[in-house]
Amino acid sequence: MSNNKDVIVRLIDVEKEFDGVKVVKKLNLEVREGEFLTLLGPSGCGKTTTLRMIAGFSHATSGEIELEGKNVADLKPNERDVNTVFQNYALFPHMNVEDNIAFGLVEKRVPKAEIKERVAEMIKLVQLEGMEKRKPAQMSGGQKQRVAIARALINRPKVLLLDEPLGALDLKLRKQMQLELKHLQQKLGITFIYVTHDQEEALTMSDRIAVMNDGVMEQIGTPDEVYNHPKTKFVASFVGESNILESYVEAVRGDLLRISLEAGKAVLHAPGFKKEEMIYICVRPENLQLSQTPIEHFSIRGRIIEHIFAGSVIKTVVELINGQRLRVARHPGEEELEVGTYVYVFWNPKKAIIVHTVEEQIYNIIEQNSNRMYKEFVEKYSATTEEV
Ligand SMILES: Nc1ncnc2c1ncn2[C@@H]1O[C@H](COP(=O)(O)OP(=O)(O)O)[C@@H](O)[C@H]1O
Ligand SMILES: [Mg+2]
């Protein structure tokens, strides 16, 4: 394992089982100091479980968790330099804002004068001046969430864990709080590990996103990497909208692949593929184009079945001759194509991304490992023969 100084949280082969069922599988993750890292994935994929293991509320079945380079297996939650903000706020209903925020410091027997000063500083930070004496029942969802954040930050944790903290807010307030939280994190320079199932939220706020599916981290990268270069079919379809097409490589000329799909033929740029390989390709709706006349190298045919108005773009649904439906983003100024019109579907060959399935990736890992094991075996064997 590398020992980079800037890694503040490290998970090594972490697994969690409930009643014999693995809900987090071989998770390896390095979170850098000062980073805004998001765990993104659908409900039930293991995000909360992962966060609870980092916080110390739950023990890993196997693997190791390090905070600032030290294994924290034996540390209780309050002995770890992390704090958690939950979706349901978990405020004390009988206490006012000030007392809720001060709670952690009172517990730690911090001197009264210092508590007062630090609470005032937090109230200013989360913009709740004038609300000091209010009780949770007298505040909006957004205000309550600010109290919860202030209460976690007042302990000056190295890492703040946030589990769907904006999940209970309406869309407009959520968007506003996303920006506020991001600015707060930048200002304080604290490491945030943020959990959400909302891909748009993850793309807006994060420095890096770890995409999880069924207990497996399928990809980690910047929002740009995850959106523009998804590595798996799942990531391509979960992050942003995408059209996934199964195809077969018919011919390879340099980096240009000629592919065959059920609904026709097409071309795309991608290095390193061989003739006769089966591949999944992903084309974003904004990268698909329609034409009533044939386009060179493309023969994918379909029929327009619906136009969905979505503000600045129109999502046109095209049904291919094999029944698969594609979504094409078009602008109001483009040539009007009536429902029922037959069209050719094409794209810029550089704008189609090849995605692998997880099964293929697991297969690659097994293959690498068996190569490694084979090498070790050979090394060991040659060592013993030398001794003889
Ligand atoms: N205490 C528990 N006992 C049994 N199963 C659990 C427990 N906590 C979570 N699970 C299961 O683990 C899986 C992952 O849950 P969770 O981490 O809460 O997912 P997420 O936060 O991504 O929605 C789910 O299938 C959930 O039912
Ligand atoms: Mg959860």
Side-chain angles (χ1 to χ4, degrees):
M1 258 316 135
S2 67
N3 235 340
N4 318 0
K5 258 214 179 117
D6 66 341
V7 173
I8 188 156
V9 178
R10 178 180 283 131
L11 276 67
I12 307 157
D13 286 339
V14 168
E15 299 206 317
K16 180 71 184 178
E17 269 181 41
F18 289 115
D19 311 317
V21 179
K22 270 186 199 168
V23 301
V24 174
K25 300 164 193 166
K26 286 273 176 215
L27 184 56
N28 285 285
L29 175 66
E30 291 188 341
V31 186
R32 301 166 191 152
E33 194 157 5
E35 176 170 47
F36 194 123
L37 182 117
T38 299
L39 300 178
L40 170 70
S43 174
C45 74
K47 306 180 296 294
T48 295
T49 303
T50 303
L51 217 58
R52 286 173 55 83
M53 289 191 284
I54 298 171
F57 298 122
S58 172
H59 282 288
T61 308
S62 62
E64 283 170 36
I65 297 175
E66 291 178 0
L67 294 176
E68 294 183 285
K70 288 194 198 80
N71 188 319
V72 290
D74 298 327
L75 297 185
K76 296 195 186 73
N78 61 1
E79 295 167 337
R80 302 182 184 195
D81 217 348
V82 302
N83 268 89
T84 310
V85 177
F86 302 95
Q87 175 176 348
N88 56 9
Y89 321 128
L91 299 179
F92 301 113
H94 60 286
M95 287 187 191
N96 66 25
V97 168
E98 268 178 346
D99 295 341
N100 261 293
I101 296 174
F103 185 78
L105 300 187
V106 174
E107 287 274 281
K108 281 193 202 155
R109 299 179 195 284
V110 172
K112 271 205 175 121
E114 187 185 336
I115 293 182
K116 202 165 173 237
E117 198 178 304
R118 280 167 69 176
V119 168
E121 184 191 12
M122 280 300 135
I123 285 182
K124 196 160 167 238
L125 185 73
V126 298
Q127 299 167 23
L128 284 174
E129 292 115 317
M131 303 224 173
E132 290 84 350
K133 304 295 176 202
R134 289 216 196 161
K135 299 234 171 105
Q138 300 167 304
M139 290 187 292
S140 71
Q143 290 162 344
K144 280 189 272 197
Q145 194 51 272
R146 289 199 189 118
V147 177
I149 290 161
R151 190 179 55 177
L153 285 175
I154 201 162
N155 297 311
R156 298 179 179 158
K158 288 265 167 57
V159 181
L160 190 66
L161 308 176
L162 303 103
D163 193 356
E164 313 237 9
L166 308 181
L169 308 180
D170 65 51
L171 185 66
K172 197 168 165 219
L173 189 56
R174 203 158 77 220
K175 298 240 175 226
Q176 183 194 328
M177 289 288 289
Q178 284 171 6
L179 294 179
E180 266 184 39
L181 262 180
K182 177 78 191 158
H183 291 153
L184 194 64
Q185 188 266 344
Q186 286 169 335
K187 189 162 146 189
L188 299 172
I190 294 178
T191 309
F192 273 30
I193 304 182
Y194 191 95
V195 160
T196 184
H197 64 271
D198 180 339
Q199 49 97 16
E200 211 181 309
E201 185 162 293
L203 291 171
T204 312
M205 302 176 82
S206 322
D207 293 320
R208 284 192 306 157
I209 302 172
V211 188
M212 289 179 74
N213 178 29
D214 196 16
V216 176
M217 186 176 85
E218 293 203 358
Q219 186 170 357
I220 182 163
T222 62
D224 174 67
E225 283 164 353
V226 170
Y227 185 83
N228 290 315
H229 306 283
K231 289 210 172 106
T232 69
K233 233 168 102 179
F234 173 79
V235 174
S237 48
F238 193 77
V239 184
E241 236 189 305
S242 56
N243 299 290
I244 309 272
L245 296 154
E246 193 180 333
S247 57
Y248 169 82
V249 181
E250 255 189 10
V252 180
R253 200 178 312 137
D255 283 355
L256 196 71
L257 310 185
R258 178 156 184 80
I259 59 171
S260 170
L261 300 79
E262 268 185 352
K265 299 194 183 212
V267 288
L268 66 101
H269 270 285
F273 286 85
K274 292 191 290 285
K275 202 176 153 177
E276 292 176 6
E277 267 185 291
M278 288 298 301
I279 54 176
Y280 284 102
I281 67 165
C282 159
V283 193
R284 300 284 184 196
E286 63 268 28
N287 292 327
L288 276 182
Q289 286 168 272
L290 304 176
S291 162
Q292 284 185 275
T293 50
I295 300 287
E296 202 186 355
H297 304 308
F298 286 86
S299 66
I300 304 169
R301 284 279 270 167
R303 191 170 60 94
I304 294 184
I305 58 164
E306 197 182 0
H307 295 290
I308 304 163
F309 182 74
S312 59
V313 293
I314 296 162
K315 297 272 169 71
T316 297
V317 183
V318 178
E319 189 174 84
L320 303 184
I321 51 172
N322 64 338
Q324 183 177 3
R325 290 183 175 189
L326 305 181
R327 282 177 165 237
V328 185
R330 308 186 78 232
H331 294 279
E334 288 181 72
E335 177 192 16
E336 268 192 50
L337 297 166
E338 273 175 45
V339 169
T341 311
Y342 281 89
V343 288
Y344 289 94
V345 179
F346 67 103
W347 54 75
N348 175 339
K350 293 200 165 125
K351 297 280 183 176
I353 311 153
I354 296 188
V355 288
H356 301 265
T357 61
V358 187
E359 288 79 8
E360 284 171 297
Q361 276 177 350
I362 289 173
Y363 179 77
N364 287 339
I365 291 167
I366 293 170
E367 203 172 39
Q368 280 164 18
N369 282 342
S370 62
N371 285 342
R372 181 176 52 79
M373 279 167 357
Y374 175 73
K375 252 172 76 185
E376 281 170 10
F377 172 79
V378 170
E379 274 163 21
K380 204 170 147 199
Y381 179 76
S382 48
T384 42
T385 45
E386 268 166 38
E387 274 167 32
V388 168

